[in-house]
Amino acid sequence: MTEPAAPHRNPVIRVRDLSVGLVHGSHRPVVDRVGFEIAPGETVCVVGESGSGKSVTAFSIMGLLQTNALRPTGGEILLGDEDLLRAAPERLRHLRSTRMSMVFQEPMTALNPVEKVGRQIEEVLLLHSRMGPAERRQRTLAMLETVHLPDPERIYESFPHQLSGGQRQRVVICIALILEPDLLIADEPTTALDVTTQQQILTLIREMQERQNTAVLFITHDMGVVADIADRVVVMKDGRVVEVSDKERILRAPTHDYTRMLISSVPSLVPELREPLRTEPVLTVEGLHKTFRKKRFLRPASEVRAVQDVSLTLQRKEILGVVGQSGSGKSTVARCIVGLEEPSAGEIVICGERLDRAGTAARRQMRRRIQMVFQDPYRSLNPRVRIGRSMIEGPTNFGVATEAAMERAGELMALVGLPTSALDRYPHQFSGGQRQRICVARALMLEPAVLVADEAVSALDVSVQEQVLELLDEIREETGVGILFITHDLRVAARICDSIFVMNHGRVVEHGPAEHVLARPEQAYTQKLFEAAPGRHWDFRNFRPIEGNSA
Amino acid sequence: MKISAPSDAAGGCAHEDAQPSRRRLILRHLLRAFGTGPALVALVILLLVVLMALFAPLLATADPIAIAPAERLSGSSANHPLGTDAYGRDIYSRVLYGARVSLIVGAGAALVSVAIGLVIGVLAGYFPAVDSVIMRTMDGVMAIPSILLAIALISLTGASLMTVMVAITIPEIPRVVRLVRSVILNVRSEAYVEAAVTLGSPVRRILMRHMVPNTIAPLIVQGTFVFASAILTEATLSFLGAGLPTEIPSWGNIMSEGRSYFQLFPGLVLWPGIALALTLLSVNVLGDVLRDTLDPKMAKRT
Amino acid sequence: MLSYVLKRVLSSVPVMIVVAVVIFALLRLTPGDPAAVLAGNDATAEQLAKIRESLELDEPILVQLLTWFRNLLAGDLGESLLSGIPVVRMIGERVGPTLALAAGTISVTILVAIPMGIVAARRPGGVLDRMVMALSVLGFSVPIFVTGYVLIYLFALKLGWLPVQGYRPPGDGLWSFAQRLILPVLALSGVYVALVARITRSSIIEVLGEDYIRTARAKGAPERRILLRHALRNAAVPIVTIIGIGIASLITGVVVTESVFNLPGLGRLVVEAVLARDYPVIQGLILLFSFTYILINLVVDILYTVFDPRIRY
């Protein structure tokens, strides 16, 4: 791999021809001759889709590979002048926290649940310094202050479960940076967080980096994050480095086809102008409420008002996006509409008929007009049942003969771009993207008027995501189905939705045509969401910055 | 951990037939596991015990319940390879016939408790209305030490093969119920079950097609452990004198009768004891192997 | 936290009621005349009448149930059909050896099984792990009465180091008391050690796969500290849970062990009562053992709050 001229300063870390293989089996290497270097104060982003080997590379540097599964097979990792691959375990242990440290993806599980947060930060000092107890405590409290946690004394005495995800990630950053290491490895540190929290954490990492002149290796799948924070970018695919370059050069003029594809698959935050639809409504929701009650012992039952007074109308052929952060109630709206939850109040009208006024049998007939596609394609198909049987389950429930249903299943397979032979197979024989297509096809078997897609592309890599989005777009054109599209991702919403409802704390805060809501948001909350979206100054499809920023 | 071997993840292209099916994988694992080491030995021992039980009349050197006062407590001889007991009955033949009782009790208890437990467990797991009543009852039954519950039942109904089997089976049921219920509760929130709900599938189909099949693997494993536990309980009951009458030779009651002469003739207790211990050991080893291959999640739990 | 404890306490009440009802129902719902069942085949009419009277079997069943609960609340478990001695007094006289045996076994288990589990979990699949797992399968499989007799055969008959059977109260000298407990405790510990070592091993292995262990490694904590400080504390909840649940098999074991080693404890008392068809004694002891089990598991539930702050808040 040829690399552009490295910065003049001495790099903190140099990875050369690193290869990592599986301990068992003679498969191709998981990481294959990967090389890059990072200078002090520099941020290098490693991007790639799942299975690209980016995390394995990071863990190799830290010496945290699961030794029973993966093992470095070649190359060197030089931290300063020291080759980490050849260092004794005891030496590596000493280097962690003092010279290099790591922040992980899942802040919810990265902290020991039975120990106070303060003690967990102090442990680093206990292990690597000669400080006495009082001094350790002092230093820890100061560090908590540095990462802008409110009331350090209280946080110090808290257990992890008492803190939010963002607060926990700040604590993990404290642990990583309290000894001012030369290198910080951040492995998708914001992927599990909401956009607004993500932005705060990214700002914090940047701030700490400037303060300590740290070299940062940032692993991510999100081009938006890359556009915001990277100095240089390493693109990985199937364990190899595809391209290494400065951020500007990668985003403006990627040389490799894969990089081009990866970048251009990132949907724009600016929605295309769409013709307003003039079709009849297929689904109307009026004043929907959902309150979850949990009985508690000796205390009044706790109430969570998940959805409050939500009204919406979905038209034929329309894709209506419901956007919000986690806990906003968007999924509960979806589940109430498909009948997986019983609404506390409100009415749902499907094709002109009121659901709550219908009898049991009529209700069942009406429910078939609303079908759902779930988030996780790996769990929404029964692994023991052949695709064909899964496909015809719906129609046979409503009395269609098996053979007729099978024939229809074959047609729908073709519609979603899979061979008819797929019907004889089991789910494990398909990739995530293919499974999601199958789920779409299965939902269409009942000829629904409404398709509810709950985060249906969130678990997919961006290139596959684009294919499924295209499929949904085609399907509504061809079948006229109205799609209720639940997502946390503003880019996805902008890419596909005709109109958008923004939810926060169970309420709709703003709604309207996509180009209105996203391009000229009126509510402060929507603006905040929009401003937190990473990479919003960049138009990835056209490899250029967005001029005259609209937000 | 996020770094295991890269799988055919969401973004990957389809490797058609690249992954062998779950069923074939399990079969391969089982063959590998049973082909070597302790599992093979366990399988052979268990097979021998089954053969002992099946062909007891052919293999026996004497009538296991024939009393011969003249030959009481004789040591090993050509007629009595393992000697005789205080009534002159042939220990070797009694041990052979004892295998029958153990296997019948074990298999009976395993089948019946799994069948009943499955039904109750599905009810508790799927219908919240009956869940707490069922589970409190099961907790109550579980709180009574199984051997004591069995003792009480037998002392009231009298000891016969039937009552002993019933008394042994009842205390095993709650554990099966708990297992089935937990599987059903876990599967309930699976997306493919919710998908079936939105497809309008009736409850019966949702249960039979999407939920109950998930209980099969853990039930096979649990069944093996019930099998072992029932054999042990029967032996214990008979050993304590609360089990089968001595006209039906069982490893437990052979030992029970030999106790008084243990200091002089340890074989009276040790031979049936060894047979019992080896059988239990084999069943447990096989149970462990089955659990590791069929039900890795449960293997982690216990 | 207080409400958690109170909730736990209250939730064990229905279980106790179920137990009491089941035990009550056993006798009354048995097909045939319960008095005849208890008296045996060659009982005289007088004996039958006496049993009926002492168990109040002629009353309507609901009245009997009420009496049963009223007596339970008053701590009255009835009288022995044979001797007429109150069951509660019989229990008091025989509880000593059983407590000694149980306490010895639980201490041995905790001292032996937890270190065994930790050692095994350090290297799953390694030599030590396989040895521990093999021992634990053995402990599960070999019945206590077999282990017991093998131990007697080896240590009492062949080697002559320890007495064969029997019991001496601690008042008669600590050594003669302890001497006679060594073999019973060893025999009884087998199952329990197997159970606890296994769960310790598997919970630690599971915890070692958690993200926060990776965080600790990334801090540069040595393996020993990771195992003992981070993993063991997080594995504590399943370990104490199994110790609580294992009380059930411990109780069964006590009955058997006391028979093998002729210890005059509650376990022997049950067996004697069974052989003598002394139903009130059987029923009283089952109730006692079941309530003990429920109470110990209640204590375990409350102990969770010590180990896991998430339950405490």
Side-chain angles (χ1 to χ4, degrees), chain A residues 69-87:
Chain A
L70 293 163
R71 168 185 67 197
T73 51
E76 52 186 16
I77 300 172
L78 296 173
L79 181 69
D81 294 322
E82 197 170 357
D83 185 355
L84 298 179
L85 290 182
R86 279 158 197 84

Side-chain angles (χ1 to χ4, degrees), chain A residues 57-74:
Chain A
T57 305
F59 281 91
S60 304
I61 298 174
M62 285 297 284
L64 289 176
L65 288 177
Q66 278 184 315
T67 44
N68 54 1
L70 293 163
R71 168 185 67 197
T73 51

Side-chain angles (χ1 to χ4, degrees), chain A residues 494-509:
Chain A
R495 156 80 178 78
I496 194 169
C497 296
D498 299 303
S499 48
I500 286 181
F501 281 61
V502 181
M503 285 188 70
N504 186 31
H505 296 312
R507 290 181 187 278
V508 174
V509 291

